[in-house]
Amino acid sequence: MTVSLKAMAYFTTAVRHGNIAKAAAELNIAASAVAAAIDQIEDAFDLTLVTRQRSRGIQPNANGRAIARKCERLLEEHRSLMAEGADLRQALHGTLRIGYYAPVAPAFLPQVLASFVPSSGDVDIHLDECDNDKAQDGLLDGTYDVILFVSDRVRPALDFDVLTEAPPYCLLPPTHDLARNASVSLGELASEPMVVLNRPLATAYYQNLLKMRGQDAAIVAYATSTEMVRSLVGAGHGCAILNMVPLTRQTYCGAEVVALPIYDPLPPLTLSLGYDKTRPRRLVRHFVSACKAAFADDAEHRFIVG
């Protein structure tokens, strides 16, 4: 049995909404047509792809998600083909889902997206800040099309490209005595109260660095966001060790901070770009190219303290 493009569109819309009635409303068709499309695709593959629930809710299983992703790719290729036939060879369409575990992503992601996303509104961007494990799991299960993540602990099945290796640096309030130095050592930070970024992977990394000072760290605060760490440091609560810097010294609370390199040889964190390299969609290819351009040559040093 062949599967029509219309059935694929109905099926993927239903999977996306998790609801037949909502899919029918978006498509402006009868709910029975959406249900029939799901039946057609299940019959074509001789597989159960969704679980029907009360009030017309549906839940795709692993096979259903896999088929939906492949249908989305086929539908996008069809849209691309039709656009080329109408002399719209350079048009971009569809949804780009980006998961990121990159505390300073707001410093570069908007410019990266602006470099290729058309102003016509044909591209929907979904940005999801998450932890490193969720980002990797989301790429593998199809939640995300592409991820920005720390690849020091990478899933074996995940394809990625390294964007930059970011060494740790020290963050200080400008009134601190050490802020006048060109760089600092871990030894000079031995007696300093510390603010620690409390995120999965990051916490263990920074605590290991603090242990290298030769004594137990005097941690005065844990914060789950980089900007809160920066604001606490700017307000004089302590010092911090981070890896990538935003393009401004000012924090959300209005205070400024000073970033200094640490001259001890310390392990960096590796910021990478994860995506399906076997058959990346056109939007993904453009995003990957734009990210690589943003971190090419000397551009990456905007985010590195050296």
Side-chain angles (χ1 to χ4, degrees), residues 275-297:
Y275 61 102
D276 180 3
K277 293 186 177 183
T278 57
R279 292 186 61 190
R281 296 188 298 132
R282 190 177 182 194
L283 272 175
V284 173
R285 294 198 303 268
H286 278 265
F287 180 75
V288 168
S289 296
C291 283
K292 290 181 178 179
F295 284 87
D297 301 327

Side-chain angles (χ1 to χ4, degrees), residues 117-154:
V117 172
S119 59
S120 60
D122 291 334
V123 175
D124 295 323
I125 305 297
H126 293 254
L127 300 171
D128 185 10
E129 183 175 357
C130 52
D131 64 52
N132 213 53
D133 289 335
K134 181 182 175 183
Q136 294 183 68
D137 291 340
L139 180 63
L140 293 173
D141 69 19
T143 300
Y144 305 125
D145 299 303
V146 62
I147 61 170
L148 288 156
F149 74 113
V150 174
S151 59
D152 297 73
R153 296 180 184 176
V154 63

Side-chain angles (χ1 to χ4, degrees), residues 11-276:
F11 174 70
T12 56
T13 304
V15 168
R16 174 159 49 84
H17 282 290
N19 186 283
I20 291 175
K22 290 181 179 179
E26 178 182 323
L27 296 166
N28 195 26
I29 59 173
S32 58
V34 178
I38 296 174
D39 290 338
Q40 179 187 345
I41 290 181
E42 287 185 325
D43 289 342
F45 294 102
D46 196 21
L47 290 170
T48 298
L49 302 178
V50 300
T51 301
R52 278 115 169 132
Q53 300 169 330
R54 291 182 178 179
S55 302
R56 292 192 174 279
I58 62 169
Q59 178 65 46
N61 57 29
N63 289 329
R65 290 192 296 269
I67 294 296
R69 289 197 299 270
K70 293 181 184 296
C71 286
E72 284 182 346
R73 291 175 182 173
L74 288 172
L75 289 168
E76 186 174 53
E77 290 294 331
H78 178 258
R79 287 192 293 266
S80 179
L81 175 63
M82 298 305 293
E84 290 177 1
D87 295 327
L88 295 176
R89 185 175 298 273
Q90 299 305 317
L92 294 170
H93 305 277
T95 300
L96 183 62
R97 306 173 189 87
I98 303 169
Y100 64 93
Y101 177 71
V104 299
F108 61 85
L109 264 186
Q111 290 83 355
V112 165
L113 294 170
S115 69
F116 73 92
V117 172
S119 59
S120 60
D122 291 334
V123 175
D124 295 323
I125 305 297
H126 293 254
L127 300 171
D128 185 10
E129 183 175 357
C130 52
D131 64 52
N132 213 53
D133 289 335
K134 181 182 175 183
Q136 294 183 68
D137 291 340
L139 180 63
L140 293 173
D141 69 19
T143 300
Y144 305 125
D145 299 303
V146 62
I147 61 170
L148 288 156
F149 74 113
V150 174
S151 59
D152 297 73
R153 296 180 184 176
V154 63
R155 300 281 193 272
L158 197 146
D159 292 329
F160 66 97
D161 294 326
V162 172
L163 291 176
T164 188
E165 290 188 344
Y169 66 89
C170 177
L171 196 69
L172 302 159
T175 56
H176 197 286
D177 289 342
L178 292 174
R180 295 190 293 268
N181 295 356
S183 61
V184 297
S185 68
L186 285 180
E188 290 173 306
L189 298 176
S191 61
E192 298 295 332
M194 303 298 295
V195 179
V196 175
L197 179 62
N198 188 20
R199 296 287 297 273
L201 185 144
T203 304
Y205 171 78
Y206 292 122
Q207 286 180 336
N208 286 336
L209 293 182
L210 293 174
K211 288 179 182 178
M212 296 173 67
R213 300 187 311 176
Q215 64 183 62
D216 292 336
I219 299 175
V220 296
Y222 289 93
T224 58
S225 74
T226 298
E227 197 50 52
M228 181 57 75
V229 171
R230 285 165 47 80
S231 291
L232 289 170
V233 171
H237 291 280
C239 306
I241 298 177
L242 296 172
N243 290 77
M244 295 183 68
V245 293
L247 303 182
T248 177
R249 292 178 54 180
Q250 192 171 39
T251 66
Y252 278 3
C253 70
E256 291 192 346
V257 287
V258 175
L260 296 180
I262 301 173
Y263 57 75
D264 302 85
L266 300 174
L269 284 181
T270 305
L271 179 65
S272 296
L273 192 65
Y275 61 102
D276 180 3

